[in-house]
Amino acid sequence: MTKCVLGVLAGVLLTSQAWGADLTGDWVFQAAPSFPRFTKMVIRQDAGGLHGTITSEWYGDLPMLDLKATGEGPAGERLVFHIDNGNPKLKPLDLTLAPDESGIRLTGQVWYEKQDATAHRATAAEMAALDFPTYPLPAPAHVPSNGLARTPPMGWSSWNKFAEAIDDKTVREIADALVRSGLRDAGYVYVNIDDGWQGERGPDGVLHPNAKFPDMKALADYVHARGLKLGIYSSPGPKSCAGYAGSYGHVEQDARTWAEWGIDYLKYDLCSGEGFYHTADTVQAVYQQMGAALNATGRPIVYSLCEYGRFDVGAWGRDVGGNLWRTTGDIEDSYASMATIGFDKNGVPRHTGPGGWNDPDMLEVGNGGMTTEEYRTHISLWAMMAAPLLMGNDARSMPRDTLALLGNAEVIAIDQDPLGRQGLPVRKQDGTEVWTRPLADGSVAVGLFNRTDKPMAMTADWPALGLGDHPSVRDLWAHRGVAPGAAHTVPAHGVVLLRATR
Ligand code: GLA
């Protein structure tokens, strides 16, 4: 009797295994969606059950997690699985494989991209042609400082306004506008091309710009001739965040290419690298590798780490040669996004200082999603934090109030103060925050921030701030001295920024 039940059970198991087994083998995809561009797949069944690996142009070889057979029988056989690219924020979604007249069909979704692709059974040669290379990472080593960024880098970056719609002509016009508007002379000297400049690699592996950037060296010359510096962007992964070629397998070669062009600044964005490097050690190693490669070129290149603040990057950013490191994911042009980052996700203050800075992301000032008061809070907060000031707007056509926000020399002086200490909130009450930042000349910058949506009366408690009863106080937005006892009406989402001297 028991034997009989066991026999039936075994039969059921065998049947279900059999229809899973029908889909085992080596598969090559015909044309899969561009993200994450699956290329091939190996499915096996052994004593341990079903297992497999699916290869993606973005993330390399990914284990097929929780791979199992489902469905109603041989006609409805299906395999389901999911993948994980190492991004802690993105939930893996289920993918389904089912028999199809061409072999097998994959459906489902990988984050924002719907998947629907067919694959055919492949020969060993077809599979080998799609092998994804892996590269050794360097052993931990200290990358000597490049001596740059003694104060937080200032300039402009293409991403927030132009995203991929950036080209040589626009970059030249921005350079001209920085000169014309006086913003270069106010300190905004880096003109940074973000994602979207990359073209194809030549047979020698050298990465060329795409058609929108016909001659990078000529562009660098143009920018340099105007007293400005040129920045560029890449990823340690095979793909940049927008899907262009990354530096995977070409780290030293790309660093040399940029140095030859005359590049002065690199933003190195983890992007598809998160599929390969998702432990503290590997992320650190891959950033160290580029830091060393930049130094080896002999050209001074500011090195910006963009790995979204993972693994306490401020604690090791300098060790890998970094001059700044992002503390968060991407800023958006809204008060909610800016305030969350600026007040609450601005990095560990003790890691900031001359040569290496917490980077709460580029400015949105002038992009239209916030009020003037909110943008004033944005730039004031960034100045209090000693954050890099990278304008993210269309600098060619700037209304006067945007120029006044970005070009306020007294606020820039706070940001660029040579002591390089990050300001901190010293009092939080009813949606208001008082921040202080000690400055090199012994004075103190004080920010009275109102996070509520109603005007609030705020005063500074000078004795409690260590400035005695009667400091000399200057309002950096009103550009005038104010009585130390003055009560300030701080607008909704606004700020009063003061500089006080004992
Ligand atoms: C990531 C970065 C952004 C920007 C884009 C470009 O999202 O965090 O700052 O560089 O990539 O694709």
Side-chain angles (χ1 to χ4, degrees):
M1 175 68 178
T2 317
K3 250 187 192 166
C4 176
V5 170
L6 281 178
V8 171
L9 262 180
V12 169
L13 282 175
L14 273 177
T15 317
S16 68
Q17 283 184 349
W19 33 273
D22 286 343
L23 299 179
T24 61
D26 294 353
W27 302 94
V28 161
F29 286 97
Q30 264 82 262
S34 62
F35 175 82
R37 184 77 83 194
F38 292 122
T39 55
K40 66 170 179 172
M41 181 171 61
V42 175
I43 304 174
R44 297 278 183 269
Q45 181 159 37
D46 57 24
L50 279 166
H51 52 95
T53 301
I54 189 162
T55 303
S56 144
E57 278 186 10
W58 289 63
Y59 300 118
D61 296 331
L62 295 162
M64 299 166 79
L65 301 169
D66 299 327
L67 181 63
K68 50 182 174 277
T70 66
E72 295 302 319
E77 65 190 306
R78 279 188 168 26
L79 294 181
V80 292
F81 68 101
H82 63 89
I83 57 171
D84 179 5
N85 77 337
N87 186 329
K89 277 208 190 136
L90 299 173
K91 283 213 180 66
L93 293 164
D94 288 340
L95 291 158
T96 300
L97 290 163
D100 175 87
E101 48 198 37
S102 62
I104 197 169
R105 182 169 170 205
L106 171 80
T107 51
Q109 178 133 348
V110 180
W111 306 305
Y112 49 85
E113 200 84 5
K114 232 179 139 199
Q115 304 297 314
D116 191 348
T118 52
H120 61 265
R121 288 198 183 273
T123 63
E126 277 180 287
M127 293 297 279
L130 293 169
D131 274 351
F132 211 91
T134 53
Y135 301 101
L137 287 171
H142 176 75
V143 178
S145 162
N146 56 19
L148 301 170
R150 305 315 297 168
T151 61
M154 289 177 67
W156 173 91
S157 164
S158 56
W159 186 256
N160 283 356
K161 174 70 188 177
F162 295 94
E164 289 169 67
I166 187 66
D167 55 23
D168 176 280
K169 178 167 173 284
T170 308
V171 174
R172 286 173 193 242
E173 288 170 0
I174 295 283
D176 290 339
L178 290 179
V179 176
R180 201 172 53 237
S181 61
L183 287 175
R184 174 198 65 187
D185 295 340
Y188 294 90
V189 292
Y190 287 97
V191 177
N192 293 347
I193 307 167
D194 205 280
D195 208 353
W197 65 268
Q198 311 89 322
E200 303 297 322
R201 290 189 186 278
D204 53 0
V206 172
L207 181 57
H208 298 280
N210 59 40
K212 295 188 295 169
F213 290 91
D215 185 342
M216 279 294 188
K217 178 132 190 31
L219 178 56
D221 290 346
Y222 186 93
V223 167
H224 291 155
R226 281 150 188 78
L228 296 162
K229 293 175 182 300
L230 188 63
I232 212 154
Y233 168 100
S234 192
S235 169
K239 299 274 187 190
S240 73
C241 293
Y244 297 84
S247 294
Y248 189 74
H250 297 272
V251 174
E252 288 77 15
Q253 185 175 37
D254 286 357
R256 283 194 299 272
T257 301
W258 300 323
E260 277 162 29
W261 289 345
I263 294 295
D264 309 292
Y265 183 116
L266 170 70
K267 172 173 167 184
Y268 205 39
D269 195 352
L270 187 58
C271 299
S272 70
E274 69 189 356
F276 302 83
Y277 317 116
H278 45 77
T279 60
D281 290 350
T282 52
V283 170
Q284 195 167 334
V286 83
Y287 277 92
Q288 174 195 315
Q289 188 177 32
M290 181 55 88
L294 292 176
N295 276 1
T297 67
R299 186 174 173 84
I301 299 176
V302 167
Y303 185 28
S304 159
L305 318 184
C306 180
E307 48 82 276
Y308 331 119
R310 293 183 192 166
F311 308 117
D312 197 16
V313 59
W316 51 265
R318 285 167 197 272
D319 278 343
V320 300
N323 298 112
L324 59 158
W325 40 84
R326 278 271 292 274
T327 60
T328 66
D330 292 8
I331 194 169
E332 285 165 25
D333 186 19
S334 71
Y335 179 75
S337 164
M338 181 279 291
T340 304
I341 294 176
F343 287 111
D344 304 321
K345 292 190 184 170
N346 45 32
V348 181
R350 70 170 184 280
H351 296 317
T352 256
W357 307 95
N358 286 326
D359 172 14
D361 207 355
M362 305 168 288
L363 299 172
E364 292 283 6
V365 176
N367 280 336
M370 290 181 242
T371 66
T372 300
E373 288 308 332
E374 290 169 342
Y375 282 139
R376 199 190 312 283
T377 295
H378 187 2
I379 188 125
S380 302
L381 253 183
W382 264 236
M384 288 300 282
M385 283 187 273
L389 296 181
L390 294 166
M391 304 159 51
N393 60 327
D394 186 348
R396 297 171 302 181
S397 51
M398 245 187 297
R400 197 174 293 169
D401 68 330
T402 303
L403 189 56
L405 289 171
L406 292 167
N408 183 331
E410 295 192 84
V411 175
I412 292 172
I414 304 296
D415 181 77
Q416 296 288 299
D417 184 77
L419 197 57
R421 292 267 295 276
Q422 180 163 335
L424 289 169
V426 292
R427 197 185 76 197
K428 297 188 183 187
Q429 203 181 346
D430 302 331
T432 66
E433 298 194 12
V434 177
W435 283 53
T436 62
R437 175 174 174 190
L439 303 171
D441 66 357
S443 65
V444 177
V446 178
L448 308 178
F449 292 99
N450 174 9
R451 297 181 70 170
T452 78
D453 49 16
K454 287 191 289 291
M456 296 283 271
M458 292 182 74
T459 49
D461 183 349
W462 300 116
L465 297 178
L467 285 150
D469 283 326
H470 292 288
S472 126
V473 183
R474 195 167 160 80
D475 181 327
L476 305 184
W477 287 111
H479 300 293
R480 58 179 168 78
V482 289
H488 299 276
T489 304
V490 186
H493 292 178
V495 60
V496 168
L497 193 62
L498 307 169
R499 180 170 187 148
T501 313
R502 204 187 161 96

